[in-house]
């Protein structure tokens, strides 16, 4: 009969294999330029490690080109591995560019079931939206209502979000509407990280 130690070793082996498979799969969904591992800000690493003192949601802000998106993808991979270690279950992660998300939530979208997509975004274990302020045209009132449904559901159920944006949560009203902005302020209280530095793309060029 296997000992307790053997069973623990078997469980750890299964968890390690599950983590590795999940991170590899997620890496395949990651845009090529963001697949390389980088050293990220301590606060982003703490969020990914899901410690008791870490904020539940993380809002990465800063000037264009300082590494918000690269940090977000790296932190999400770490969050994924930590979630599996702690719970033993595979989390659902939704990753969206804001421009693609706003298009997907349009009422005339014939490629996706908007109600089904809304439910998936409400219930995902982690919702990552990149470059929230990128859209030149703000979402329509109907789309802002869908955003409200998404963020209100996540807010009242404590489901984490990761957002990158070049403005603060309290400056997003023109983009997502005042009701969503109010919830973002509360969801990211203590979880706003300002990244500083030069535009890396300009330096590389």
């Amino acid at each position: 009969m296997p000992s307790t130690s053997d069973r623990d070793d078997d469980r750890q082996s299964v968890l390690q294999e599950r983590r590795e498979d999940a991170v590899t799969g997620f890496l395949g969904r990651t845009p090529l330029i963001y697949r390389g591992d980088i050293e990220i800000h301590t606060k982003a690493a703490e969020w990914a490690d899901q410690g008791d003192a870490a904020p539940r949601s993380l809002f990465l802000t800063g000037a264009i080109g300082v590494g918000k998106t690269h940090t977000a993808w790296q932190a999400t991979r770490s969050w994924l591995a930590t979630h599996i270690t702690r719970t033993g279950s595979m989390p659902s992660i939704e990753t969206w560019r804001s421009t693609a998300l706003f298009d997907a939530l349009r009422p005339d979208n014939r490629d996706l079931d908007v109600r089904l997509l809304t439910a998936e975004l409400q219930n995902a274990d982690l919702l990552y939206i990149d470059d929230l302020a990128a859209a030149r045209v703000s979402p329509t009132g109907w789309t802002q209502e869908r955003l409200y449904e998404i963020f209100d559901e996540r807010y009242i159920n404590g489901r984490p979000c990761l957002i990158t944006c070049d403005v603060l949560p309290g400056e997003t009203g023109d983009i997502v509407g005042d009701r969503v902005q109010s919830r973002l302020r509360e969801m990211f209280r203590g979880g706003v990280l300002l990244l500083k530095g030069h535009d890396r793309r300009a330096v590389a060029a």
Side-chain angles (χ1 to χ4, degrees):
M1 182 176 183
S3 68
T4 300
S5 177
D6 289 338
R7 288 195 296 270
D8 288 343
D9 288 344
D10 289 343
R11 181 177 183 277
Q12 289 303 316
S13 178
V14 169
L15 279 177
Q16 181 176 346
E17 184 176 350
R18 188 174 297 172
R19 279 196 306 270
E20 291 173 353
D21 288 347
V23 171
T24 298
F26 186 76
L27 201 60
R29 293 169 47 194
T30 302
L32 181 62
I33 197 172
Y34 302 123
R35 291 180 187 176
D37 288 336
I38 61 169
E39 185 176 350
I40 60 175
H41 192 284
T42 301
K43 189 169 183 175
E46 289 173 350
W47 170 81
D49 287 341
Q50 302 176 53
D52 293 337
R56 185 142 184 84
S57 293
L58 185 65
F59 193 100
L60 296 172
T61 188
I64 294 172
V66 296
K68 298 185 296 296
T69 300
H70 209 149
T71 296
W73 282 104
Q74 176 75 33
T76 300
R77 288 198 295 274
S78 297
W79 183 96
L80 168 62
T82 302
H83 187 282
I84 293 173
T85 299
R86 291 199 169 191
T87 69
S89 64
M90 184 73 67
S92 56
I93 301 176
E94 289 283 341
T95 62
W96 287 83
R97 283 196 189 99
S98 64
T99 48
L101 175 60
F102 296 164
D103 281 345
L105 294 174
R106 287 167 56 93
D108 57 354
N109 187 346
R110 297 182 179 180
D111 296 324
L112 292 171
D113 183 327
V114 176
R115 290 293 182 182
L116 179 59
L117 174 60
T118 298
E120 290 173 348
L121 297 176
Q122 288 174 324
N123 295 310
D125 292 303
L126 175 64
L127 173 60
Y128 163 34
I129 300 176
D130 186 53
D131 212 353
L132 184 61
R136 294 189 177 185
V137 178
S138 296
T140 64
W142 196 91
T143 301
Q144 286 188 349
E145 288 177 8
R146 303 292 78 72
L147 290 171
Y148 170 75
E149 289 180 356
I150 293 164
F151 282 104
D152 186 60
E153 184 72 17
R154 300 192 69 81
Y155 168 68
I156 63 178
N157 286 291
R159 297 189 179 111
C161 294
L162 172 59
I163 290 179
T164 69
C165 190
D166 54 10
V167 301
L168 294 169
E171 299 171 345
T172 58
D174 290 342
I175 306 164
V176 297
D178 292 340
R179 292 188 178 193
V180 173
Q181 177 183 251
S182 175
R183 282 152 180 78
L184 293 183
R185 281 178 174 150
E186 182 64 26
M187 290 172 71
F188 293 102
R189 191 181 301 278
V192 177
L193 172 56
L194 172 62
L195 296 181
K196 300 178 181 179
H198 301 291
D199 186 336
R200 300 180 184 186
R201 289 181 284 270
V203 172

